[in-house]
Amino acid sequence: MKNFSLFALAGLLHVNLWSASNEVLYNSCRFCHGEKGEVNYLGKVEPIKRLDKPSLIILLQSYKKGEIDQIGLGKLMQAQIANFNDADIEQLSNYITSF
Ligand code: HEC
């Protein structure tokens, strides 16, 4: 019984850490794309919450490599995603899909 309680507690802590880091990862994004990915930034970038996970991963990886420039601000987006590794990008994409 004691072991079971510790296991349950570890599970709860894991969930809390997971959601905190989602928010940390998304923290800078919300200034342009909105709290829940709902903003049409500059009236030119469609709300990112409409995108599915595979599209988000492809877009974010491509911005990171400097391969996309849809409205002339690709470099600005590249700077936003520069410090995110593959695991961060996957986690962020999951999180945005949950909005
Ligand atoms: C300073 C404003 C700004 C911030 C902060 C920002 N973005 Fe962007 N984002 C843009 C702009 C501008 C574009 C369009 C760039 C282009 O292609 O010309 C864009 C494009 C995108 C796209 C592609 C949208 C589409 O419809 O194709 C995704 C996905 C995206 N951003 C996700 C993110 C994520 C995730 C973060 C946080 C790590 C982030 N953005 C931070 C301004 C921002």
Side-chain angles (χ1 to χ4, degrees), residues 25-26 28-33 41-42 45-48 50-51 56 59-60 63 68-74 76-77 80-81 84 92 96:
L25 285 177
Y26 189 74
S28 59
C29 319
R30 64 196 174 87
F31 292 109
C32 299
H33 296 291
Y41 183 63
L42 303 176
V45 185
E46 294 285 307
I48 60 171
R50 80 188 192 287
L51 297 164
L56 284 163
L59 283 161
L60 295 175
Y63 275 118
I68 326 184
D69 192 8
Q70 302 189 78
I71 61 161
L73 292 171
L76 178 144
M77 232 342 266
Q80 303 306 317
I81 205 73
F84 290 72
L92 248 185
I96 294 167

